[in-house]
Amino acid sequence: YGHTRCTGPMPVSFFTFIAILFTSGLDVGLIMFPLVDFELYATEPDYAFANPLAIEFGFWGFLVWGFYFLTTFYFCIIEPKLKLFEIPAIKVTNNIVIIGTCAFTALLFLVYLPDYIEGISEPFRYGLVGLVILMATLSSTDIKFVKILSVSSTWLFFALIAGVWFVSGMGIDGLATTLGGVGDYYANIHRFVAPITEYHQFYLYWWFAWSIMIGQFVARFVGGIQAWQLLLALLVVPSIPIAIWFSVLYYYFSNGLDVSATWRLAMVVVGVIFVINSLDSLIRLYTQNLDITPERFGKPLYVIGNWSALSVLVLLYMFTPLRIEWIGLVVVGIYAAIYALVFRRRRALSASPA
């Protein structure tokens, strides 16, 4: 399939596709996790084989985007021929995973808010998360909002990188020197294939949980590029801004600099938009899969129903033993079932034009 052209039902330009992929396939953790994670990686012996910047990049960049290539390719080329995700048991399980992961995204935002808004009150904290879920639900009612949010949030993220870099005083030379630390990841890339620690295992389950639904969503927007180009695009293009952003934050960490309250607020604002964009994509995906659409139920009932369901799930994550690892294990099961079914139906696949 290397030269097979991958085209979704709603093809867009390459930049718009990457923007949708980048902002739908990542969430607020990209903005808020690194400064907390660097401290952990610098002190834990299990991570001593590479610098904290390389470890963080390994958790977020390059190799793990192979998950998204696999599923995006599958939903572009294989699923239209075999329709395995229309099998009732797989369809229901897949959408339960999407809903559960959607709520987990909102939970992360809730948990990390106090680290970025000092002294935030509990009512305001929960109220802000509720508002974000509401905005995402409203945005999911029209596909045009997905494209607008994706492109605008991508540019805002670039602006955030530029602003935090500029006030750091690191300059071009400092950025280049710090960015060179990412090379430790590629020298140790084999270490990231299996869990290094329980925390890394959490990340891998998280990527598993996201992988099928993100591929299912962004495959709709692929604009006719060949499969090998899609692979390179997904592995390389998103990894570049991730590496630059992490390098800027690592400069602050390694030099003992504080991110000012103004720029922490800017990070929260961009993080809010990322969360809205991610939730928007996932809400739209599972509601279309299950035919729970605004056209069928009316916009008020659609908004109230989705907002209520996701808010309850966030509270369940917060106050019960429910964990994203459970969702990740279910996704591993879906992968196993799909691989087995593709193997069983390979003759039907090979009989179809590539």
Side-chain angles (χ1 to χ4, degrees):
Y1 288 98
H3 293 283
T4 301
R5 292 205 171 272
C6 302
T7 305
M10 294 181 285
V12 296
S13 69
F14 182 73
F15 178 79
T16 303
F17 167 71
I18 291 296
I20 292 172
L21 169 71
F22 189 77
T23 54
S24 299
L26 295 167
D27 59 21
V28 68
L30 177 74
I31 308 293
M32 296 186 168
F33 275 26
L35 289 175
V36 177
D37 284 350
F38 289 149
E39 184 67 37
L40 172 67
Y41 305 149
T43 56
E44 288 289 332
D46 290 329
Y47 304 112
F49 63 86
N51 64 73
L53 171 61
I55 300 292
E56 185 75 346
F57 181 76
F59 281 28
W60 286 91
F62 196 71
L63 192 62
V64 286
W65 285 81
F67 285 133
Y68 287 173
F69 163 73
L70 178 65
T71 55
T72 302
F73 171 80
Y74 172 85
F75 283 103
C76 265
I77 302 298
I78 309 299
E79 176 63 15
K81 299 172 183 177
L82 300 186
K83 300 189 183 301
L84 301 181
F85 278 78
E86 294 302 315
I87 297 172
I90 294 176
K91 183 175 183 177
V92 171
T93 305
N94 178 49
N95 285 288
I96 290 173
V97 166
I98 295 171
I99 297 169
T101 309
C102 190
F104 181 74
T105 300
L107 171 78
L108 286 178
F109 183 57
L110 176 69
V111 169
Y112 276 81
L113 264 178
D115 292 328
Y116 287 81
I117 303 180
E118 188 175 347
I120 185 173
S121 67
E122 288 297 287
F124 183 74
R125 180 183 169 204
Y126 281 88
L128 181 57
V129 173
L131 179 62
V132 165
I133 296 173
L134 178 61
M135 295 296 294
T137 306
L138 288 168
S139 175
S140 70
T141 59
D142 194 323
I143 190 65
K144 70 181 180 183
F145 293 129
V146 173
K147 299 177 183 178
I148 294 170
L149 270 175
S150 296
V151 173
S152 60
S153 57
T154 299
W155 284 115
L156 278 174
F157 180 59
F158 292 164
L160 176 67
I161 295 174
V164 177
W165 163 79
F166 181 77
V167 299
S168 72
M170 65 190 300
I172 299 295
D173 290 342
L175 177 60
T177 301
T178 307
L179 190 59
V182 174
D184 270 9
Y185 163 71
Y186 292 100
N188 294 278
I189 195 170
H190 58 285
R191 296 176 181 267
F192 293 87
V193 175
I196 301 168
T197 60
E198 287 188 4
Y199 190 49
H200 185 216
Q201 178 178 278
F202 155 75
Y203 264 92
L204 291 178
Y205 275 127
W206 189 9
W207 279 95
F208 267 117
W210 275 86
S211 60
I212 291 179
M213 59 189 180
I214 293 302
Q216 192 174 359
F217 181 73
V218 301
R220 303 173 180 185
F221 305 101
V222 181
I225 60 177
Q226 296 180 34
W228 71 269
Q229 294 171 324
L230 182 67
L231 172 62
L232 287 181
L234 266 63
L235 291 182
V236 176
V237 178
S239 295
I240 295 171
I242 291 173
I244 295 173
W245 171 239
F246 287 173
S247 296
V248 171
L249 292 183
Y250 187 64
Y251 183 85
Y252 277 81
F253 170 78
S254 59
N255 289 277
L257 304 177
D258 288 326
V259 179
S260 69
T262 300
W263 285 107
R264 282 183 178 268
L265 181 60
M267 291 168 69
V268 171
V269 170
V270 176
V272 165
I273 297 173
F274 264 57
V275 173
I276 292 174
N277 201 83
S278 296
L279 295 181
D280 174 337
S281 305
L282 302 183
I283 293 169
R284 186 170 183 83
L285 180 60
Y286 75 72
T287 54
Q288 286 190 335
N289 287 347
L290 299 173
D291 196 24
I292 310 172
T293 61
E295 293 78 16
R296 182 181 178 189
F297 292 96
K299 187 178 290 188
L301 186 58
Y302 170 90
V303 171
I304 293 170
N306 281 288
W307 181 86
S308 301
L310 291 175
S311 298
V312 168
L313 276 172
V314 170
L315 295 176
L316 286 177
Y317 272 118
M318 195 73 177
F319 299 110
T320 73
L322 182 62
R323 295 290 181 267
I324 192 63
E325 288 88 339
W326 300 4
I327 306 295
L329 279 174
V330 173
V331 174
V332 172
I334 294 176
Y335 268 105
I338 295 299
Y339 271 111
L341 288 169
V342 168
F343 182 77
R344 289 182 60 184
R345 303 185 186 189
R346 65 193 182 280
R347 292 185 179 179
L349 182 63
S350 61
S352 303

